[in-house]
Amino acid sequence: MGYTVAVIGATDNVGREILQTLAERNFPADQVIALGTDRAVGHEVSYGEDDVLKVLDVAKFDFSTVDVAFSPVDPKLTALHAPRAATSGCVVVDMSGHFALDPEVPLVVPEVNAAALAGYKQRYIVANPTGSTIQLTLALKPLHERFTVTRAVVSTYQAVSSEGKEAMDELFTQTRAIFVNDPVVKSVFPKQVAFNVIPQIDRFLDDGYTNEEWRLNVETKKVLDPKIKVTATCVRVPVFIGDAEAVHIETERPVTAEEALEILRAAPGVSVLDQRAAEGYITPVEVAGENPVFVSRIREDITVENGLAFWCVADNLRKGAALNAVQIAEILVRDYLEE
């Protein structure tokens, strides 16, 4: 006997990735249910190599028979349906960010703070951090345990796919339009994204940071350590899949590049490729479909005392979203839920 699992937004980029990840990892599910809204209802979506699921209307769905539900949809939809599911006894993995900073909701990166899952019963909701937080904290955790990270300065270079299929289509159509000298049309992004970079992800806040930059700061504190100071600049780049980060950290204790390299090589969920040559680092195009967070260009930051710099890249739809959520569910069914 296994579990019943539901995926809200099953036809979207992340929803499809969740279904694929569940199948690949042989998640112990007797039944997987695809849910959606509006035009998605009635459509079909693949699960594994052979199964096809018909999308049901989430607004009419009864969650009382579901053990775990994934919600990688708009925060307003998550706010509407997650409490309803949780009240029915279904544990919801919120991937929208809506519950991420709720003090009663665990915010979890399994390789970093899996023990926080013990608090899921307060609301029957567990939150998945934003992809940039996931890959940053995975890389920081082993360094923090050894050297105590006090400050992180992060520049992110984020793919368009986290904004959905329409965003990927916009990058494609703008690129084609430029090549054939057609007008460039914007709808998803505030500026042209093809052959450009946009230093804005999500809305601006009163202090000049964007919401994505603020989330990277506060989520890192919640997942890893509230004492870490984090400042970020989050940039949208014309890449379909794969987020990259340039990270500069300061630590309490001295750290050498060689020590950091050795520690990161042994860290769960991290893969290191660090050679000082043209092929000795990872780029976003190389990580599509891969599970680890890849770290390269590890070097000492000579401008500060106890400083270190590195480059990290991850598939934003895999570890940056679907895989992290499925890992959360795997721990829930292994350690907390009864079949």
Side-chain angles (χ1 to χ4, degrees):
M1 296 292 292
Y3 297 86
T4 299
V5 176
V7 180
I8 306 171
T11 60
D12 297 336
N13 283 347
V14 177
R16 290 177 183 273
E17 199 71 33
I18 291 170
L19 290 171
Q20 181 176 335
T21 305
L22 288 167
E24 286 179 358
R25 294 174 69 87
N26 296 313
F27 188 87
D30 278 348
Q31 185 179 14
V32 177
I33 300 166
L35 299 174
T37 61
D38 302 328
R39 290 175 296 176
V41 176
H43 286 211
E44 294 183 339
V45 63
S46 297
Y47 173 63
E49 295 183 1
D50 303 317
D51 292 337
V52 176
L53 309 177
K54 181 166 285 190
V55 178
L56 306 179
D57 188 345
V58 65
K60 300 176 181 178
F61 185 74
D62 179 4
F63 285 93
S64 62
T65 61
V66 177
D67 298 293
V68 179
F70 299 92
S71 186
V73 292
D74 181 270
K76 292 180 181 178
L77 280 175
T78 297
L80 180 63
H81 297 296
R84 183 168 66 86
T87 301
S88 300
C90 169
V91 182
V92 179
V93 182
D94 167 31
M95 305 170 69
S96 72
H98 181 77
F99 293 98
L101 300 180
D102 187 317
E104 295 183 339
V105 173
L107 183 68
V108 177
V109 179
E111 297 90 341
V112 178
N113 66 331
L117 274 173
Y120 84 96
K121 285 188 176 180
Q122 291 191 73
R123 298 284 295 277
Y124 266 66
I125 298 172
V126 178
N128 209 57
T130 184
S132 53
T133 301
I134 291 170
Q135 69 185 80
L136 177 65
T137 56
L138 255 178
L140 289 187
K141 172 68 181 302
L143 298 172
H144 186 58
E145 287 183 333
R146 177 76 174 271
F147 304 105
T148 308
V149 177
T150 58
R151 181 172 184 255
V153 180
V154 187
S155 297
T156 74
Y157 309 87
Q158 295 179 228
V160 300
S161 52
S162 60
E163 291 296 314
K165 182 180 182 300
E166 294 80 7
M168 299 176 75
D169 290 343
E170 184 160 309
L171 173 56
F172 177 81
T173 55
Q174 286 186 0
T175 302
R176 182 174 58 186
I178 290 167
F179 274 116
V180 300
N181 203 29
D182 281 347
V184 173
V185 178
K186 306 187 299 291
S187 60
V188 177
F189 299 108
K191 292 182 180 287
Q192 174 186 313
V193 69
F195 302 99
N196 197 18
V197 296
I198 305 172
Q200 177 193 352
I201 298 178
D202 211 332
R203 69 187 187 279
F204 279 101
L205 306 178
D206 291 342
D207 60 3
Y209 285 89
T210 65
N211 193 58
E212 180 79 0
E213 292 159 353
W214 174 77
R215 281 188 65 185
L216 182 57
N217 178 2
V218 295
E219 287 185 349
T220 299
K221 293 175 183 292
K222 184 173 179 179
V223 170
L224 187 56
D225 188 337
K227 296 179 182 178
I228 295 177
K229 297 177 180 179
V230 180
T231 185
T233 300
C234 294
V235 181
R236 188 72 69 193
V237 295
V239 171
F240 286 107
I241 296 174
D243 287 357
E245 296 177 347
V247 184
H248 292 254
I249 65 172
E250 298 175 43
T251 59
E252 280 188 2
R253 290 179 286 282
V255 52
T256 66
E258 291 75 18
E259 288 173 319
L261 186 67
E262 180 182 354
I263 289 168
L264 287 167
R265 278 182 173 153
V270 175
S271 181
V272 175
L273 174 61
D274 192 314
Q275 299 171 0
R276 293 168 184 179
E279 295 297 320
Y281 50 85
I282 289 286
T283 62
V285 73
E286 296 163 286
V287 305
E290 300 290 336
N291 289 336
V293 170
F294 293 86
V295 179
S296 305
R297 305 243 19 235
I298 302 166
R299 60 207 187 276
E300 290 155 35
D301 183 345
I302 60 174
T303 66
V304 294
E305 187 175 358
N306 302 340
L308 191 76
F310 60 86
W311 170 258
C312 68
V313 185
D315 182 330
N316 56 298
L317 300 180
R318 299 286 289 191
K319 185 55 182 171
L323 175 61
N324 196 81
V326 171
Q327 287 176 306
I328 287 172
E330 288 172 342
I331 297 172
L332 283 170
V333 301
R334 185 191 70 199
D335 297 342
Y336 299 102
L337 303 183
E338 295 183 0
E339 295 186 36

